[in-house]
Amino acid sequence: MKPNNPFLITGYHSPEYFCDREQETEGMIKALYNGRNVTLIAPRRMGKTGLVKNVFYKLREQEPDTVTFYMDIYSTQSLGDFIRLFASTVLGKLDSVPQKALSRVGRFIKSCRPVFTFDELTGQPKVTIDIAPSSEEATLKEIFDYLQSSEKRCYIAIDEFQQIAEYPEKGFEALIRSYIQFVPNINFVFAGSKQHIMQEMFHSAKRPFYQSTQTQVIDRIEKDVYYHFASGFFAKQGRELEEQTFGYLYDAFDGHTWYIQTLLNRLYSYPEKPDIRMVDYAIGEVVAESTYTYENLLAAYPASNVRLLKAIAKAGCVGEINSGDFIAEYKLRAASSVNSALKKLIDKEMVYKTADGYIVYDRFLAIWLRQQPF
């Protein structure tokens, strides 16, 4: 079923609704098809998940027997969390016949008791496991043995892969690397949004994943390419999206994919002609809808952190966070206090460091903050 609105802000439908990334898609397909694992690095909401799913869509077109898996581990906190998510993602999915799928799972998963249910829509088996800490490593090995038992080519994407560096268990990077290198029928995409951590994990000679993958970094889609994509859908609707209007929207969010998609989605749903006035209206609508969320979000932070966040939002982009001019203009505390607050805001992904300086990560939050009293 085709989507009612072509500007998707969640999920993936098909290449028809996916803008550009042609070189990145082709590069990842070539790497995976030829047995090379890929490290994919991009800021959050820049479109890395969509790129992964576009690559998987095209790989399945080339090889219909191919099996693809996607898992986002951002919410996991430990080895046990990872294994449970990994199990529910892959177990039971290698075979189209439910009985064969259950038999294969039962043949390999011995360290814990899998619980089987069936998807009401597809009839495919769904497997969950409950594992004791003492059995975690054994279960992880069994899942890899299960995957290796298939004669099908498998591709697995692990999104927000840098999260494993936060697990309390020591040596997990080396453990999972030891299993990955011995599954010849499986290739991996390790995607992450924290560039410095991902770079350290895959480019430091001290880390287990050193030089084990091909690195792909993605940035904003070129403005003219994005405009051609967007204007085509409006034209099919019998409406014109002027280049000036799109340029205003694109520049307002520095080409950041998710924000552009969100606003194009709104503009497409309005009956009025999309113009700059309507772009501002759509931005205001989104920001107003988020007020309750933002108020509750900031309530969890100390006043010093909120003040620094507001200052960065009002400045737009701060090149020198400890400069006397910046601290004086926004009446911040001493540089040491600013640094302490900044570290927490970066750790919580409230603030992001670009090549030009520090910005508020959520662009809509930044707009909302600029509207608040200082």
Side-chain angles (χ1 to χ4, degrees), residues 242-344:
E242 294 179 352
E243 192 166 359
Q244 181 184 11
T245 300
F246 179 81
Y248 176 79
L249 187 164
Y250 183 97
D251 292 341
F253 294 92
D254 196 29
H256 204 120
T257 308
W258 184 83
Y259 300 97
I260 295 172
Q261 285 288 114
T262 297
L263 293 172
L264 286 172
N265 181 283
R266 298 272 175 150
L267 293 174
Y268 189 85
S269 70
Y270 298 153
E272 296 88 346
K273 177 185 176 180
D275 56 20
I276 290 174
R277 178 183 61 85
M278 292 309 299
V279 172
D280 287 337
Y281 176 83
I283 292 171
E285 190 176 57
V286 173
V287 171
E289 290 168 4
S290 304
T291 294
Y292 178 79
T293 300
Y294 292 150
E295 288 175 345
N296 281 278
L297 177 66
L298 296 187
Y301 288 84
S304 59
N305 290 19
V306 175
R307 188 169 185 85
L308 176 60
L309 192 65
K310 284 183 177 180
I312 295 172
K314 290 182 181 293
C317 181
V318 184
E320 296 294 335
I321 202 82
N322 289 318
S323 74
D325 289 344
F326 175 69
I327 290 175
E329 180 177 357
Y330 295 101
K331 298 181 175 58
L332 302 175
R333 295 182 178 179
S336 58
S337 298
V338 169
N339 288 333
S340 176
L342 180 66
K343 183 179 185 304
K344 181 172 183 179

Side-chain angles (χ1 to χ4, degrees), residues 91 100-110 112 114 116 146:
L91 294 181
K100 188 174 181 181
L102 300 183
S103 173
R104 188 193 297 269
V105 171
R107 197 161 72 246
F108 286 95
I109 307 302
K110 304 290 187 183
C112 61
F116 299 95
Y146 163 84

